[in-house]
Amino acid sequence: MRIGYDDACKVIDHENAVVILKSGVEMNVLDEDEKRDEVAFFHQLLQEYFAARHLAKANPELVHVEWAVDKVSPKLEDTICPAWLMAILCPRCLRQDGRRQL
């Protein structure tokens, strides 16, 4: 999925949209095509994630799963990675001394 750079900033709808996009490029999550002035998801897992979301919207019965919170336990990396990513992208995750908190 590719989107124009300006359109991507509009979708993000944040005063730091340019910084967020540049951070995504630096983390190899986004790919920036400067000649076409577009950005695209670079990482295969993110491409699959958004393809799955699109499929779920189109065919919700295909992705319905019984809630079984008592039958699973999260892996450590599943809980650390989202917090780590948010700490990078979210300015509210900065501590008073300017360092990132996880």
Side-chain angles (χ1 to χ4, degrees):
M1 177 179 158
R2 294 191 163 278
I3 187 171
Y5 199 88
D6 291 337
D7 291 334
C9 288
K10 289 176 188 172
V11 169
I12 293 171
D13 191 26
H14 190 277
E15 64 185 42
N16 293 323
V18 172
V19 174
I20 292 169
L21 288 174
K22 289 188 183 296
S23 297
V25 170
E26 290 176 9
M27 293 186 316
N28 288 326
V29 174
L30 296 175
D31 182 37
E32 182 177 10
D33 185 340
E34 292 180 5
K35 289 182 182 177
R36 295 173 65 178
D37 197 32
E38 295 177 333
V39 293
F41 284 109
F42 181 74
H43 196 281
Q44 182 64 32
L45 291 176
L46 283 175
Q47 291 176 359
E48 291 172 8
Y49 168 77
F50 285 104
R53 284 186 54 115
H54 179 75
L55 177 64
K57 284 183 181 179
N59 299 297
E61 67 279 355
L62 294 177
V63 295
H64 176 75
V65 177
E66 177 186 350
W67 184 250
V69 71
D70 59 326
K71 298 178 184 175
V72 297
S73 62
K75 292 184 244 172
L76 184 58
E77 60 269 18
D78 291 342
T79 58
I80 290 176
C81 290
W84 175 80
L85 184 58
M86 286 307 299
I88 289 173
L89 297 179
C90 177
R92 289 176 287 204
C93 297
L94 288 174
R95 298 189 321 201
Q96 293 296 330
D97 62 3
R99 294 177 54 206
R100 302 254 180 224
Q101 63 184 4
L102 291 179

